[in-house]
Amino acid sequence: MLDGVTRRYAVGGAAALDGLTVPVPGGACLVLLGPSGSGKSTALRLVAGLEPLDAGRVLLDGADLAGVPPERRRMAMLAQRPLLFGHLSVLDNVAFPHTVRGVPRRRAHADARARLDAVGLPGFERRRPGELSGGQQQRVALARALAAGPRVLLLDEPTTGLDTGARAEVHELLRRVRADLTLLLVTHDPVEAATLADRPGDRVAVLRDGLLQQHAPVGELYARPASLTVARLLGGRTEVPGTVRAGRHVSPLGALQLPVPVPAGPGVLVVRPELVELVPAGSGIAGTVAEVRVLGARALVTVAVAGAGGTARVHAEAPLGRQPAVGDPVGLRVPVDVRTVVPPSEDGERQQLP
Amino acid sequence: MTALRRLTGVGLAAWFLLPLVPLVLWAAADVWRAPAALPQQWGSSGWSAAAAAGGWAAAGRSLGLAAVVAVLGTLLGAAAAAALDGGRLRAPRTITALLLAPVALPPLAVALGLDVLLLRLGVPAPVGVVAVLTVAALPYTTYALRVALAGMDRGYAEEARLLGATPAVVWRRVRLPLLAPAVATAALLAFLVGWSDYVVTLTVGGGQLVTLPLLLGSAASGVGDEPTVAALALSAVLPPLAAALLVARLARGRTG
């Protein structure tokens, strides 16, 4: 549990992290998601005890961790770089958490061997870390972190330095070894957040400029972003400015009924591209294809819709090969339940938590 | 490009090795008169003369002096580097400049000045020599260790803390092993300062501490007994060379 956690690097300067309060239920995964400079890594360092708090508290099972040194917090960290000790063999690296606590060498090595097996690296005991690939090193680092027997596993962009294949391997391993560990994951990648925070109690906290933007299950972030920042961070593209009047969003797209009550006033309609349906011209909202970009197996189609007060651009996805050509007239269908209106300023309103 | 590099390599090797050629020849010569390209008579008279002149004892004193300077210089250099790296010093630039000052000052002037001071203070000559040479070694050791400390990723120490190591254990089990190559380099540099010193040992030591360079100096200033001088000179050159190779090997072994 983080309670009002604040950290300033310069006296009187802007806070790197400003009053972050967010619960981390035992056994759940909390993702701190944000662009670089959002304060998410700072939060992790404060939780680990590597940096002092300027205000607030970090609580573990109700106990304030103030004054508890990192080595006694029962947390382990898997960082972006594996940080394996180059002067030790792979086995001695994994046995390190045991040997520094005075566990006899034989027992430490037996446990380390079992942990290397568990991360799929049997037979690597005598190797030096430098002889391993990046993905293998990260798996050794994970085995070492788990050997410390942590209650909370801190993950600081654990797959950012890896290629796609190695990244998938580390994700799969993390899901397998997770059991009832509490995870605190820092990442800028919404896909990674969605992959690792997929259990019912898991939550994502979106940070920007040290401020909490939204705290919700990952599905809700996609479906109901609280601000433009959150929508953009999660890959949302369509942003149609307009005005909310009597439960409808009025823009060049027309007066669209909203699924939930929204206070009247200016608001930006955000819709995920994969939820917009392209239909033949003549039905739905009439528009013209302005741009087509192929994204792997799917194509991103940008449709310009001219209406009252200007032109709006709406993004939709189509399977590759089924996408219309630039200049084609098309129809758009935006289901009522996928329409979300956020405040026009980038920050939105600061999320208030109980 | 490779041709140029090879040429540079050969040039450098020649630059370092050529001066040693006459030394090696002289050390293996009993008789070698002027116009001849090679000695007329080979032998080991130079080595026996060097031994008779107290070569072994002088080499032992040199080794002892260099070892003490290496240990003290490295320890003090490590302390200075750690203090500078900690960022808690008030005037780090001034302190760095002071630590590096011995390189900039002419050794003879310093040695003569300190000699008077140490004599007045009644400091025993060998202690004075060790003290002055340790200070002379500090710029090298501090610099080598400071660079290594600055280049050391603090992530390793933090990771070790989270894995359960106390700060003291982090130093012993993580930081020192990571710093080992730099410590070896610093110790080698300090060793060389002690091993090769002539001026300080002569002036501050007042002739009480006869090291290899002193013996070599007096032999070289005497009348042409070149084989003895060559034997002493080679004895002074070879140990540091061996030590340098050892340190280089150690540093390479660590990176694997």
Side-chain angles (χ1 to χ4, degrees):
Chain A
M1 161 97 198
L2 277 69
D3 180 16
V5 167
T6 300
R7 173 75 172 147
R8 270 170 228 285
Y9 286 110
V11 178
L17 202 61
D18 194 353
L20 176 64
T21 298
V22 56
V24 191
C29 174
L30 175 74
V31 183
L32 297 174
L33 180 71
S36 52
S38 60
K40 56 190 195 301
S41 291
T42 301
L44 204 65
R45 295 176 59 76
L46 296 174
V47 170
L50 296 171
E51 278 183 35
L53 293 166
D54 289 325
R57 299 180 302 165
V58 176
L59 306 168
L60 183 60
D61 296 339
D64 193 342
L65 287 181
V68 180
E71 64 270 24
R72 296 229 313 272
R73 294 193 170 202
R74 298 215 33 211
M75 297 180 181
M77 177 146 73
L78 186 62
Q80 185 176 338
R81 291 158 304 143
L83 294 171
L84 298 178
F85 306 130
H87 59 286
L88 299 178
S89 69
V90 165
L91 188 68
D92 284 328
N93 264 286
V94 181
F96 184 88
H98 293 306
T99 51
V100 292
R101 288 196 173 94
V103 173
R105 210 177 147 75
R106 183 184 293 263
R107 248 179 58 208
H109 276 181
D111 179 75
R113 244 180 226 110
R115 305 235 177 236
L116 278 176
D117 287 356
V119 298
L121 293 171
F124 281 70
E125 291 87 353
R126 297 273 140 247
R127 303 273 199 99
R128 289 269 158 181
E131 301 167 22
L132 273 55
S133 75
Q136 289 170 337
Q137 289 189 27
Q138 197 65 329
R139 278 148 72 192
V140 173
L142 175 62
R144 182 178 65 174
L146 293 173
R151 276 188 294 181
V152 182
L153 183 59
L154 308 173
L155 303 163
D156 188 2
E157 306 257 2
T159 63
T160 301
L162 303 177
D163 59 45
T164 322
R167 177 175 303 178
E169 269 175 27
V170 170
H171 283 157
E172 194 44 50
L173 259 179
L174 280 170
R175 289 162 56 97
R176 207 165 68 219
V177 301
R178 195 180 144 184
D180 52 358
L181 262 178
T182 304
L183 298 186
L184 190 53
L185 166 70
V186 157
T187 186
H188 67 272
D189 179 8
V191 177
E192 183 162 87
T195 310
L196 292 176
D198 62 342
R199 288 200 207 160
D202 296 347
R203 293 286 182 278
V204 178
V206 181
L207 290 176
R208 181 168 171 271
D209 296 337
L211 291 169
L212 182 63
Q213 301 275 319
Q214 190 169 8
H215 175 245
V218 69
E220 200 178 314
L221 293 184
Y222 278 109
R224 300 250 162 275
S227 67
L228 274 182
T229 301
V230 176
R232 286 177 188 162
L233 203 63
L234 291 163
R237 292 171 184 275
T238 301
E239 295 171 8
V240 182
T243 317
V244 176
R245 262 182 241 134
R248 286 169 184 274
H249 185 261
V250 182
S251 73
L253 300 184
L256 297 178
Q257 178 71 45
L258 295 175
V260 290
V262 176
V268 178
L269 178 73
V270 293
V271 184
R272 296 204 56 83
E274 64 271 20
L275 296 175
V276 175
E277 290 170 48
L278 285 171
V279 292
S283 59
I285 304 162
T288 313
V289 176
E291 195 185 338
V292 176
R293 269 170 59 201
V294 174
L295 310 169
R298 303 184 70 78
L300 185 72
V301 180
T302 306
V303 178
V305 177
T311 303
R313 289 163 76 84
V314 178
H315 304 270
E317 280 189 3
L320 193 59
R322 301 276 186 82
Q323 78 272 29
V326 172
D328 285 356
V330 290
L332 290 172
R333 192 163 285 155
V334 183
V336 175
D337 62 329
V338 305
R339 299 169 189 167
T340 304
V341 172
V342 297
S345 84
E346 225 191 22
D347 272 327
E349 278 173 61
R350 196 164 149 197
Q351 182 88 356
Q352 291 300 318
L353 282 163
Chain B
M1 202 58 202
T2 32
L4 187 68
R5 278 179 64 174
R6 192 168 304 155
L7 200 69
T8 316
V10 170
L12 276 174
W15 180 270
F16 285 115
L17 291 177
L18 275 181
L20 291 178
V21 171
L23 274 186
V24 171
L25 290 174
W26 263 121
D30 276 354
V31 181
W32 187 5
R33 287 199 191 83
L38 286 173
Q40 286 91 348
Q41 200 179 328
W42 302 92
S44 58
S45 67
W47 294 94
S48 21
W56 286 111
R61 280 189 287 270
S62 276
L63 203 63
L65 176 65
V68 172
V69 171
V71 170
L72 290 179
T74 307
L75 284 177
L76 290 173
L84 286 167
D85 191 61
R88 284 188 294 272
L89 291 181
R90 218 165 258 219
R93 279 163 199 277
T94 315
I95 291 168
T96 306
L98 276 176
L99 281 167
L100 295 183
V103 179
L105 299 173
L108 188 60
V110 174
L112 287 174
L114 278 174
D115 187 24
V116 177
L117 184 71
L118 290 171
L119 275 175
R120 293 237 171 114
L121 289 174
V123 176
V127 176
V129 173
V130 166
V132 173
L133 288 181
T134 300
V135 172
L138 270 182
Y140 306 108
T141 56
T142 308
Y143 185 74
L145 293 169
R146 173 101 178 80
V147 169
L149 271 180
M152 194 165 63
D153 190 334
R154 75 174 170 170
Y156 288 101
E158 291 178 350
E159 184 71 32
R161 286 292 296 277
L162 284 169
L163 293 170
T166 58
V169 173
V170 171
W171 263 109
R172 193 158 45 82
R173 300 272 310 265
V174 178
R175 284 202 151 125
L176 280 182
L178 287 175
L179 286 174
V183 172
T185 306
L188 172 70
L189 292 171
F191 180 91
L192 291 179
V193 168
W195 176 268
S196 59
D197 174 74
Y198 179 75
V199 171
V200 174
T201 320
L202 183 68
T203 52
V204 178
Q208 289 185 41
L209 194 68
V210 180
T211 57
L212 213 49
L214 254 62
L215 198 63
L216 176 62
S218 75
S221 61
V223 244
D225 190 3
E226 280 84 356
T228 313
V229 174
L232 285 170
L234 279 184
S235 319
V237 167
L238 293 179
L241 212 64
L245 288 176
L246 200 73
V247 168
R249 255 190 90 116
L250 179 75
R252 214 182 18 243
R254 287 276 170 186
T255 55

